[in-house]
Amino acid sequence: QHQVQPRSHFGSRDLIAKLLPPLFRVASASLFLKMVERLTYRRHCPYNTKSNKLKVFRTPGNRLTSLVKKKLPKKPRCGDSGRVLNGIPATRPADAGRVPKSHRSVSRAYGGCLSGKSVRDRIVRAFLIEEQKCVKQVLAEKMSAAKEPKTKKKGKH
């Protein structure tokens, strides 16, 4: 006469909800009964290193799969000032060789190695050094021209 209700392996949800502390009662008890889906690394290195990061996603068939993420490239920088070089794509070293040669540099002297400001500063510095040499030479000629008559006058007396 008494019908026995079939019970699951874990017991009823009400019983589990009563046994849980009050903080966990808000979440449904079924959350604690589900198994966690895990993934394993599919390549040689089984550790979570900087070069072995995974992007985990779910397929339309509701399976978890992963893709290995590539490292983010940094922008190329000027050797003198450390500024970012405009007009040159940010690539990883292995991919840099596959970029077309016209994209690897800028049509300027030292294009792709130094920034425009650094090149301008070098040109201005070289010009000023040449100007300084010319000024020194002119001053040296004036000094020698001024000293020669004095020595002649002293020699005559």
Side-chain angles (χ1 to χ4, degrees):
Q1 290 150 344
H2 230 277
Q3 281 191 347
V4 179
Q5 298 238 343
R7 287 186 149 206
S8 67
H9 177 69
F10 296 108
S12 67
R13 287 185 182 181
D14 297 334
L15 180 65
I16 293 173
K18 286 178 186 173
L19 294 175
L20 289 174
L23 288 174
F24 294 114
R25 283 188 193 154
V26 177
S28 74
S30 63
L31 290 176
F32 296 101
L33 303 177
K34 286 184 180 176
M35 286 188 64
V36 178
E37 288 187 76
R38 295 172 189 234
L39 276 178
T40 55
Y41 287 96
R42 292 190 289 180
R43 289 189 176 183
H44 185 68
C45 178
Y47 300 107
N48 187 22
T49 59
K50 277 198 329 187
S51 62
N52 202 25
K53 296 292 181 190
L54 294 182
K55 177 187 177 186
V56 179
F57 63 96
R58 200 170 284 280
T59 61
N62 205 25
R63 283 192 311 119
L64 278 183
T65 56
S66 63
L67 286 174
V68 178
K69 285 185 189 176
K70 288 188 175 181
K71 284 186 182 179
L72 289 175
K74 288 189 176 180
K75 283 262 191 179
R77 294 187 170 271
C78 172
D80 279 354
S81 61
R83 291 165 165 245
V84 172
L85 295 179
N86 293 325
I88 300 166
T91 55
R92 296 296 298 169
D95 300 332
R98 287 183 228 118
V99 174
K101 195 168 184 181
S102 59
H103 292 196
R104 275 184 246 161
S105 67
V106 181
S107 58
R108 184 195 335 111
Y110 298 101
C113 297
L114 297 179
S115 63
K117 187 176 186 301
S118 295
V119 174
R120 190 186 315 130
D121 290 346
R122 281 186 178 204
I123 292 169
V124 169
R125 190 183 305 126
F127 174 75
L128 290 176
I129 288 170
E130 289 298 317
E131 283 290 312
Q132 195 174 10
K133 285 180 186 175
C134 293
V135 168
K136 276 186 181 177
Q137 189 178 356
V138 169
L139 285 175
E141 288 174 4
K142 279 187 181 178
M143 292 295 282
S144 63
K147 283 183 181 178
E148 285 176 8
K150 287 181 183 176
T151 53
K152 289 179 184 176
K153 285 179 185 177
K154 286 182 182 178
K156 288 181 183 176
H157 290 288

